[in-house]
Amino acid sequence: MVSFPSPWRSIGGGVTAPAGFLAAGSTAGLKASGKPDLSLLLAPVGAVCAGSFTTNRVRAACVDLCAGRLVASGGRARAVLTNSGQANACTGSRGLADSLTATAELARRLGLQPAEVLLCSTGVIGVPIPIDTLVAGLDPLVAALGPEGGAAAATAILTTDLTNKQIALEADLGGRRVRLGGMAKGSGMIHPQMATMLGYLSCDAGVPADLWQGMVRRAVERSFNAITVDGDTSTNDTFLAFAAGAPLPPEQFEALEAGLTAVSQHLARAIARDGEGATCLIEVQVEGAASDADARAIARIVCGSSLVKCAVHGRDPNWGRIVAAAGRAGAAFDPEAVALWLGAHQLMARGQPLAFDRPAASTYLKARAAGAYLGGSGPGGDTVLIRLRLGEGPGAGAAWGCDLSDQYVRINADYTT
């Protein structure tokens, strides 16, 4: 089982577990499949919102709309609408016009100003939103808003995902109950720089907007920016985190950030585990680096290596691919100091190979593929743990990815045909 940092504990409810948050998901007809395709999250009065967005130069209009509104408002927003099925990226002036129409129409129904409403889109690039269909779906979506709507909202944002991704944590901070909730989507085009990756977080404690943005930025660096499925950064990557409630004493901010990071990492791992065609999660832990940033960079390169991913899928403990990937990450370390473990099997020490039980190491990889979904790196879990010690430096970091199967090629070879 995956554990969470004290004093945080897992609870049910997803993104609507925190007090005052409402959500809904519905089927508006945006997807030809007839699956749910419209999602809404509504935050309480006074909410602050921090955002992190794709750095891809080709960005959907909704990304610029969200980023611009958060800057203009000083981090104030009340609602986020998500349409699934169309990325609305590379659609020219229509992309912005449709984004403005969608947020204005929703604002009118919620009694908000358009600037208080954000929009996220996910789906096929180059396909505009059927805006009349979306607008027609807003009334039933708003009517469905409720404190139990988190699961429906988490389902309505999905595209090629096999399962929805949600979590909620609770802790007693400063004598009061504080809750964090989250939902996310993503399965392919995942290599965020902050794939069609979307993530949303809710918190029922009040935090100043500038401090909240700092917390979110650091959490994203240790979670969504530490995952990869296929090395492709999307045009639509967005993470939005809302906080609303009675002010939290500053001495509790560190504990709150630990919970925020835990929620973000859980959602990030869920995205990596649900990578298209994946059979297991890969976690790479790096220690002894010159800095935390170097450690995270090396971990991410190893997770993203197609050769490493293929070896894991083939249940082949081909450790040379791991150290070769680490060496091209652009971070300095002494190859003669490297130690490497695959699960409990140590494969290298002081830069030299060790004799190890190759069939047992292969069996370890096979067992991970049969492990419990998001069950962690312990016995019975689905996480392949790779640990690299590079020396005696103070830097440590982790990243998550998945194996690479022929199903990934099959899924993406005819994605639009």
Side-chain angles (χ1 to χ4, degrees), residues 190-192 197 223-229 268-269 271-272 300 399-400:
I190 301 296
H191 193 75
M197 186 222 93
S223 58
F224 298 108
N225 273 354
I227 60 173
T228 183
V229 168
R269 287 195 299 266
I271 289 172
R300 198 180 193 205
W400 297 270

Side-chain angles (χ1 to χ4, degrees), residues 210-293:
D210 57 338
L211 296 179
W212 183 242
Q213 179 68 61
M215 290 183 187
V216 170
R217 182 181 65 252
R218 291 187 292 271
V220 165
E221 193 61 29
R222 290 167 171 79
S223 58
F224 298 108
N225 273 354
I227 60 173
T228 183
V229 168
D230 47 22
D232 276 295
T233 298
S234 170
T235 57
N236 292 55
D237 289 343
T238 298
F239 180 64
L240 298 170
F242 294 85
L248 192 68
E251 60 267 25
Q252 300 298 329
F253 286 171
E254 183 177 353
L256 179 65
E257 183 169 341
L260 168 63
T261 301
V263 167
S264 301
Q265 288 183 340
H266 175 88
L267 295 173
R269 287 195 299 266
I271 289 172
R273 177 60 183 89
D274 200 24
E276 291 168 340
T279 66
C280 61
L281 183 68
I282 300 173
E283 178 173 338
V284 178
Q285 298 177 356
V286 176
E287 58 190 75
S291 67
D292 289 352

